[in-house]
């Protein structure tokens, strides 16, 4: 099962965004572009990475919302859903 708290997700998203930003900054500084264009492109990559990760986390939480009350075989864990045997 995949459990992710808001704080862990935010730290992961920021760290991945910073890594992507650092890589893109390094690549863009090599290219013959103006400094302003390099900075804007780097910030756009950081923002896009953070946004994509946040959206994917929300989709994951939505998809796993129904799985939290069920075990690996799909049987209900809630005792009210269990039937009494003869």
């Amino acid at each position: 099962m995949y459990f992710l708290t808001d704080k862990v997700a935010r730290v992961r998203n920021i760290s991945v965004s910073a890594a992507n930003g650092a890589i893109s900054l390094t690549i863009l500084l090599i290219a013959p572009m103006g400094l302003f264009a390099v900075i804007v492109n780097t910030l756009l990559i950081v923002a896009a990475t953070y946004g994509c990760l946040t959206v994917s986390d929300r989709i994951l939480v939505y998809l796993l919302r129904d799985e939290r009350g069920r075990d690996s075989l799909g049987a209900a864990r809630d005792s009210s859903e269990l039937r009494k045997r003869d």
Side-chain angles (χ1 to χ4, degrees):
M1 187 57 65
Y2 185 78
F3 294 103
L4 191 66
T5 63
D6 289 338
K7 186 175 182 178
V8 171
R10 187 171 297 117
V11 169
R12 187 202 57 194
N13 293 351
I14 290 172
S15 63
V16 171
S17 299
N20 278 347
I23 291 168
S24 67
L25 180 63
T26 303
I27 292 169
L28 290 172
L29 284 175
I30 295 171
M33 296 171 54
L35 183 60
F36 181 73
V38 169
I39 292 171
V40 169
N41 282 330
T42 302
L43 292 176
L44 287 173
I45 289 172
V46 168
T49 302
Y50 184 80
C52 288
L53 289 172
T54 302
V55 168
S56 67
D57 287 340
R58 290 177 189 251
I59 291 171
L60 185 66
V61 167
Y62 173 77
L63 292 174
L64 292 177
R65 182 176 43 177
D66 293 335
E67 295 293 322
R68 289 187 182 171
R70 306 203 173 270
D71 63 11
S72 61
L73 297 176
R77 286 186 186 172
D78 188 13
S79 61
S80 64
E81 294 182 21
L82 298 176
R83 295 182 194 166
K84 190 174 183 179
R85 292 187 78 179
D86 291 331

